[in-house]
Structures are given as structure tokens and as C-alpha cells.
Coordinates of all heavy atoms in Angstrom, one line a residue:
F1 N 89.3 82.6 79.7 CA 90.4 83.0 80.7 C 90.6 84.6 80.7 O 90.8 85.1 79.5 CB 91.8 82.2 80.5 CG 92.8 82.6 81.4 CD1 92.7 82.4 82.8 CD2 93.8 83.5 81.1 CE1 93.7 82.6 83.6 CE2 94.9 83.8 81.9 CZ 94.7 83.4 83.2
T2 N 90.4 85.2 81.8 CA 90.6 86.7 81.6 C 91.8 87.0 82.6 O 91.8 86.6 83.9 CB 89.4 87.4 82.2 OG1 88.4 87.0 81.3 CG2 89.5 88.8 82.2
D3 N 92.7 87.9 82.3 CA 93.8 88.2 83.2 C 93.3 89.0 84.4 O 92.4 89.9 84.1 CB 94.9 89.1 82.4 CG 95.6 88.2 81.4 OD1 95.7 87.1 81.6 OD2 96.2 88.9 80.5
K4 N 93.7 88.7 85.5 CA 93.3 89.5 86.7 C 94.3 90.5 87.1 O 94.1 91.5 87.6 CB 93.1 88.6 87.8 CG 92.0 87.7 87.6 CD 90.6 88.4 87.4 CE 89.6 87.3 87.2 NZ 88.3 87.9 87.0
I5 N 95.7 90.2 86.8 CA 96.7 91.3 87.1 C 97.5 91.4 85.9 O 98.0 90.2 85.3 CB 97.5 90.7 88.4 CG1 96.6 90.6 89.5 CG2 98.8 91.6 88.6 CD1 97.4 90.1 90.8
T6 N 98.0 92.6 85.6 CA 98.9 92.9 84.4 C 100.0 93.6 85.0 O 99.9 94.7 85.6 CB 98.1 93.6 83.4 OG1 97.0 92.9 82.9 CG2 99.0 94.0 82.2
V7 N 101.3 93.2 84.6 CA 102.3 94.1 84.9 C 102.9 94.5 83.6 O 103.5 93.7 82.9 CB 103.4 93.2 85.8 CG1 104.7 94.0 86.1 CG2 102.8 92.7 87.0
A8 N 103.0 95.8 83.4 CA 103.4 96.4 82.2 C 104.9 96.4 82.1 O 105.6 96.4 83.2 CB 102.9 97.8 82.1
N9 N 105.4 96.5 80.9 CA 106.9 96.5 80.9 C 107.6 97.6 81.5 O 108.8 97.8 81.8 CB 107.4 96.5 79.4 CG 106.8 97.5 78.5 OD1 106.2 98.4 79.0 ND2 107.2 97.4 77.3
R10 N 106.9 98.7 81.9 CA 107.2 99.8 82.6 C 107.1 99.7 84.1 O 107.3 100.6 84.9 CB 106.5 101.1 82.2 CG 106.5 101.3 80.8 CD 105.7 102.6 80.3 NE 104.5 102.6 81.0 CZ 103.3 102.2 80.5 NH1 103.2 101.7 79.5 NH2 102.2 102.4 81.2
A11 N 106.8 98.4 84.6 CA 106.7 98.0 86.0 C 105.5 98.6 86.6 O 105.6 98.8 87.9 CB 108.0 98.3 86.9
L12 N 104.6 99.0 85.8 CA 103.2 99.5 86.3 C 102.3 98.3 86.5 O 102.3 97.4 85.6 CB 102.6 100.5 85.2 CG 103.6 101.8 85.1 CD1 102.9 102.7 84.1 CD2 103.9 102.5 86.3
I13 N 101.5 98.3 87.6 CA 100.8 97.1 87.8 C 99.2 97.6 87.8 O 98.9 98.5 88.3 CB 100.9 96.6 89.4 CG1 102.4 96.3 89.4 CG2 99.9 95.6 89.7 CD1 102.8 95.8 90.9
G14 N 98.4 96.8 87.0 CA 97.1 97.0 86.9 C 96.3 95.8 87.4 O 96.6 94.7 87.0
T15 N 95.3 96.1 88.3 CA 94.5 94.9 88.8 C 93.0 95.2 88.2 O 92.4 96.1 88.3 CB 94.3 94.9 90.3 OG1 95.7 94.8 90.8 CG2 93.5 93.8 90.7
S16 N 92.5 94.2 87.5 CA 91.3 94.2 86.7 C 91.3 95.3 85.7 O 90.3 95.9 85.3 CB 90.1 94.4 87.7 OG 90.1 93.4 88.6
T17 N 92.5 95.7 85.3 CA 92.6 96.7 84.1 C 93.9 96.2 83.4 O 94.9 95.8 84.0 CB 92.7 98.1 84.5 OG1 92.9 98.9 83.4 CG2 93.9 98.3 85.5
D18 N 93.9 96.3 82.1 CA 95.1 96.0 81.3 C 95.9 97.2 81.0 O 96.8 97.1 80.2 CB 94.8 95.2 80.1 CG 93.9 95.8 79.2 OD1 93.5 97.1 79.4 OD2 93.6 95.3 78.1
N19 N 95.6 98.3 81.5 CA 96.3 99.5 81.2 C 96.6 100.4 82.4 O 96.3 101.6 82.5 CB 95.3 100.4 80.1 CG 96.2 101.5 79.5 OD1 97.5 101.6 79.5 ND2 95.5 102.4 79.1
G20 N 97.3 99.8 83.4 CA 97.6 100.5 84.6 C 98.6 101.8 84.2 O 99.6 101.6 83.5
A21 N 98.1 102.9 84.7 CA 98.9 104.0 84.5 C 99.7 104.6 85.6 O 100.5 105.5 85.5 CB 97.9 105.2 84.1
D22 N 99.7 104.0 86.8 CA 100.3 104.4 88.0 C 101.2 103.1 88.5 O 101.1 102.0 88.0 CB 99.4 104.9 89.1 CG 98.7 106.2 88.6 OD1 99.4 107.1 88.3 OD2 97.5 106.1 88.6
A23 N 102.0 103.3 89.5 CA 102.7 102.2 90.1 C 101.7 101.1 90.4 O 102.0 100.0 90.4 CB 103.5 102.7 91.3
L24 N 100.7 101.5 91.0 CA 99.5 100.4 91.3 C 98.1 101.1 90.9 O 97.9 102.1 91.6 CB 99.5 100.0 92.8 CG 98.4 99.1 93.2 CD1 98.5 97.8 92.3 CD2 98.5 98.9 94.7
Q25 N 97.5 100.6 90.1 CA 96.0 101.1 89.7 C 95.1 100.0 89.8 O 95.3 98.9 89.2 CB 96.1 101.7 88.4 CG 94.6 102.2 87.9 CD 94.8 102.8 86.4 OE1 95.8 103.2 86.0 NE2 93.6 102.9 85.9
V26 N 94.0 100.2 90.5 CA 93.0 99.1 90.8 C 91.7 99.6 90.4 O 91.2 100.7 90.7 CB 93.0 98.8 92.4 CG1 91.9 97.8 92.6 CG2 94.3 98.3 92.9
A27 N 91.0 98.8 89.4 CA 89.6 99.1 89.1 C 88.7 98.2 89.9 O 88.7 97.1 89.9 CB 89.5 98.8 87.7
G28 N 88.1 98.9 90.9 CA 87.2 98.3 91.8 C 87.5 98.6 93.4 O 88.2 99.5 93.6
T29 N 87.0 97.8 94.3 CA 87.2 98.1 95.7 C 88.5 97.5 96.2 O 88.9 96.5 95.8 CB 86.0 97.3 96.4 OG1 84.8 97.9 95.9 CG2 86.1 97.6 97.9
V30 N 89.1 98.2 97.2 CA 90.3 97.8 97.8 C 90.2 97.8 99.3 O 89.5 98.7 99.8 CB 91.6 98.8 97.4 CG1 92.7 98.4 98.1 CG2 91.7 98.8 95.9
N31 N 90.5 96.7 99.7 CA 90.5 96.5 101.2 C 91.9 96.4 101.8 O 92.7 95.8 101.2 CB 89.9 95.1 101.7 CG 88.3 95.2 101.4 OD1 87.7 96.2 101.7 ND2 87.9 94.2 100.8
V32 N 92.2 97.4 102.7 CA 93.6 97.5 103.3 C 93.5 97.4 104.8 O 92.7 97.9 105.4 CB 94.2 99.0 102.9 CG1 95.5 99.1 103.5 CG2 94.2 99.2 101.4
T33 N 94.5 96.5 105.2 CA 94.6 96.3 106.7 C 95.8 97.3 107.0 O 96.9 97.3 106.6 CB 95.0 94.9 107.0 OG1 93.9 94.1 106.5 CG2 95.2 94.8 108.5
I34 N 95.5 98.1 108.1 CA 96.4 99.1 108.6 C 96.7 98.8 110.2 O 95.7 98.6 110.9 CB 96.0 100.6 108.5 CG1 95.8 100.8 107.0 CG2 97.0 101.5 109.2 CD1 95.4 102.3 106.7
N35 N 98.0 98.7 110.5 CA 98.2 98.4 111.9 C 97.7 99.5 112.8 O 97.6 100.6 112.5 CB 99.7 98.4 112.2 CG 100.4 97.2 111.6 OD1 99.8 96.2 111.2 ND2 101.7 97.4 111.3
S36 N 96.9 99.2 113.9 CA 96.4 100.0 114.9 C 97.2 100.0 116.3 O 97.5 98.8 116.8 CB 95.0 99.5 115.1 OG 94.3 100.4 116.0
Y37 N 97.4 101.0 116.9 CA 98.2 101.2 118.1 C 97.4 102.1 119.1 O 96.5 102.8 118.8 CB 99.5 102.0 117.7 CG 100.5 101.2 116.9 CD1 100.3 101.2 115.5 CD2 101.3 100.2 117.4 CE1 101.1 100.6 114.7 CE2 101.9 99.3 116.6 CZ 102.0 99.5 115.2 OH 102.8 98.7 114.4
A38 N 97.7 101.9 120.3 CA 97.1 102.6 121.4 C 97.4 104.1 121.4 O 96.6 104.9 121.7 CB 97.5 102.0 122.8
D39 N 98.6 104.5 121.0 CA 99.0 105.8 120.9 C 100.2 105.9 120.0 O 100.8 104.9 119.5 CB 99.3 106.5 122.2 CG 100.2 105.8 123.0 OD1 101.2 105.1 122.5 OD2 99.9 105.6 124.3
D40 N 100.6 107.2 119.6 CA 101.9 107.4 118.8 C 103.1 106.8 119.5 O 104.0 106.3 118.7 CB 102.1 108.9 118.7 CG 101.1 109.5 117.5 OD1 100.8 108.7 116.6 OD2 100.7 110.7 117.9
A41 N 103.2 106.8 120.8 CA 104.4 106.2 121.4 C 104.6 104.8 121.1 O 105.6 104.1 120.9 CB 104.3 106.4 122.9
A42 N 103.3 104.0 121.0 CA 103.4 102.6 120.8 C 103.7 102.4 119.4 O 104.5 101.4 119.1 CB 102.0 102.0 121.2
A43 N 103.3 103.1 118.5 CA 103.7 103.0 117.0 C 105.2 103.3 116.9 O 105.9 102.6 116.2 CB 102.9 104.0 116.2
D44 N 105.7 104.4 117.5 CA 107.2 104.6 117.5 C 108.0 103.6 118.1 O 109.1 103.2 117.5 CB 107.4 106.0 118.2 CG 107.0 107.0 117.5 OD1 106.6 107.0 116.3 OD2 106.8 108.2 118.1
A45 N 107.5 102.9 119.0 CA 108.2 101.8 119.7 C 108.3 100.5 118.9 O 109.1 99.7 119.2 CB 107.7 101.5 121.1
D46 N 107.4 100.3 118.0 CA 107.3 99.1 117.2 C 108.3 99.0 116.2 O 108.2 99.8 115.1 CB 105.9 99.0 116.6 CG 105.7 97.7 115.8 OD1 106.7 96.8 115.7 OD2 104.6 97.4 115.4
T47 N 109.4 98.3 116.3 CA 110.5 98.2 115.4 C 110.1 97.5 114.1 O 110.9 97.7 113.1 CB 111.8 97.6 116.0 OG1 111.3 96.3 116.5 CG2 112.4 98.4 117.2
N48 N 109.1 96.9 114.1 CA 108.6 96.2 112.8 C 107.9 97.1 112.0 O 107.6 96.9 110.7 CB 107.7 94.9 113.2 CG 108.5 93.9 113.9 OD1 109.6 93.6 113.4 ND2 107.9 93.3 114.8
L49 N 107.4 98.3 112.4 CA 106.7 99.2 111.6 C 107.8 100.2 111.1 O 108.3 101.0 111.7 CB 105.8 100.1 112.6 CG 104.9 101.2 111.8 CD1 103.9 100.4 110.9 CD2 104.2 101.9 113.0
K50 N 108.0 100.1 109.8 CA 109.1 100.8 109.1 C 108.7 102.3 109.0 O 107.6 102.6 108.9 CB 109.4 100.1 107.8 CG 109.8 98.7 107.9 CD 111.1 98.4 108.7 CE 111.5 96.9 108.9 NZ 112.4 96.6 109.8
S51 N 109.7 103.1 108.7 CA 109.6 104.4 108.4 C 108.7 104.6 107.1 O 108.9 103.9 106.2 CB 111.0 105.1 108.2 OG 110.8 106.4 107.9
N52 N 107.8 105.6 107.1 CA 107.0 106.0 106.0 C 105.8 104.9 106.0 O 105.0 105.1 105.0 CB 107.7 105.9 104.7 CG 108.6 107.1 104.7 OD1 108.4 108.2 105.2 ND2 109.9 106.8 104.2
T53 N 105.6 103.9 106.8 CA 104.5 103.1 106.9 C 103.3 103.7 107.7 O 103.4 104.4 108.5 CB 104.8 101.9 107.7 OG1 105.9 101.3 107.1 CG2 103.7 100.8 107.7
L54 N 102.1 103.4 107.0 CA 100.9 104.1 107.6 C 100.4 103.3 108.8 O 100.5 102.0 108.8 CB 99.8 104.1 106.5 CG 100.1 104.9 105.2 CD1 98.9 104.7 104.2 CD2 100.3 106.3 105.6
Y55 N 99.8 103.9 109.7 CA 99.2 103.4 110.9 C 98.0 104.2 111.5 O 97.9 105.3 111.1 CB 100.2 103.1 112.1 CG 100.8 104.3 112.7 CD1 100.2 104.8 113.8 CD2 101.9 105.0 112.1 CE1 100.6 105.9 114.5 CE2 102.3 106.3 112.7 CZ 101.7 106.6 113.9 OH 102.1 107.8 114.5
K56 N 97.3 103.7 112.4 CA 96.2 104.5 113.0 C 96.3 104.3 114.5 O 96.9 103.3 115.0 CB 94.9 104.1 112.4 CG 94.4 102.7 112.7 CD 93.0 102.5 112.1 CE 92.5 101.2 112.6 NZ 91.0 101.1 112.2
I57 N 95.6 105.2 115.1 CA 95.4 105.1 116.6 C 94.1 104.3 116.8 O 93.1 104.7 116.3 CB 95.5 106.5 117.2 CG1 96.8 107.1 117.0 CG2 95.3 106.4 118.8 CD1 98.0 106.5 117.4
T58 N 93.9 103.4 117.7 CA 92.8 102.7 118.0 C 91.6 103.6 118.2 O 91.6 104.4 119.1 CB 92.9 101.7 119.2 OG1 94.1 100.8 118.9 CG2 91.7 100.9 119.5
G59 N 90.5 103.5 117.5 CA 89.3 104.2 117.7 C 89.3 105.4 116.9 O 88.3 106.1 116.9
S60 N 90.4 105.7 116.1 CA 90.5 106.9 115.3 C 90.3 106.6 113.9 O 90.6 105.5 113.5 CB 91.9 107.5 115.6 OG 92.0 108.7 114.7
R61 N 89.7 107.6 113.1 CA 89.6 107.4 111.7 C 90.7 108.0 110.9 O 90.8 107.9 109.6 CB 88.2 108.1 111.3 CG 87.1 107.4 111.8 CD 85.7 108.0 111.2 NE 84.6 107.3 111.8 CZ 83.4 107.8 111.6 NH1 83.2 108.8 110.8 NH2 82.4 107.3 112.1
V62 N 91.7 108.5 111.6 CA 92.8 109.2 111.1 C 93.9 108.2 110.9 O 94.2 107.5 111.6 CB 93.3 110.4 111.9 CG1 94.5 111.2 111.2 CG2 92.1 111.4 112.2
V63 N 94.6 108.3 109.6 CA 95.7 107.5 109.3 C 97.1 108.3 109.4 O 97.0 109.5 108.9 CB 95.6 106.9 107.9 CG1 96.8 106.2 107.5 CG2 94.4 106.0 107.9
Y64 N 98.0 107.9 110.1 CA 99.3 108.5 110.3 C 100.5 107.9 109.4 O 100.2 106.6 109.3 CB 99.6 108.7 111.7 CG 98.6 109.2 112.6 CD1 97.6 108.6 113.2 CD2 98.6 110.7 112.8 CE1 96.5 109.3 113.9 CE2 97.6 111.3 113.5 CZ 96.6 110.6 114.2 OH 95.6 111.1 114.9
Q65 N 101.5 108.5 109.2 CA 102.7 108.0 108.6 C 103.8 108.1 109.6 O 104.1 109.2 110.1 CB 103.0 108.8 107.3 CG 104.1 108.1 106.5 CD 104.4 108.8 105.3 OE1 103.9 110.0 105.1 NE2 105.1 108.3 104.3
K66 N 104.4 106.9 109.8 CA 105.5 106.9 110.7 C 106.8 107.7 110.1 O 107.1 107.5 109.0 CB 105.9 105.5 111.2 CG 107.1 105.3 112.2 CD 107.2 104.0 112.6 CE 108.4 104.0 113.6 NZ 108.7 102.6 114.2
P67 N 107.4 108.6 110.9 CA 108.4 109.4 110.4 C 109.6 108.4 110.1 O 109.8 107.4 110.5 CB 108.7 110.3 111.4 CG 107.8 110.1 112.5 CD 107.0 108.9 112.1

């Protein structure tokens, strides 16, 4: 049996590592899903998209942060 996730007593999380040095440290590939919107106005209008959350504009490679 090998641990896959370790939560240190300092509340640091390590995935596939037993010595996480940051709030979240991953050794390996990470896949992230980011909400995509037609434009900034649509992202601003989405009340479920909280402040400081990342989003992108459809067709763009740029990631934005909601104010």
C-alpha cells in the first residue's frame, strides 16, 4: 500500500509526494478545468463565479482572474 495523498500537520498537501512544501504540491501531471465564457461581461455576470476565481474566454489561451 502506497499513500497517494499526504496532509502534513502544517496543513500542507502533497500528492504523490510525502513532503509537500506548499499549500498544494503535486508531483506529476495536473489537469484543471477552468470555466469558459463568451466574453468578460458574461464572466462578470455569472454570480456562481466567485471573486479571485480563474476563467477564460472561449477560444483564448489566456486565463483571467475575476476581480
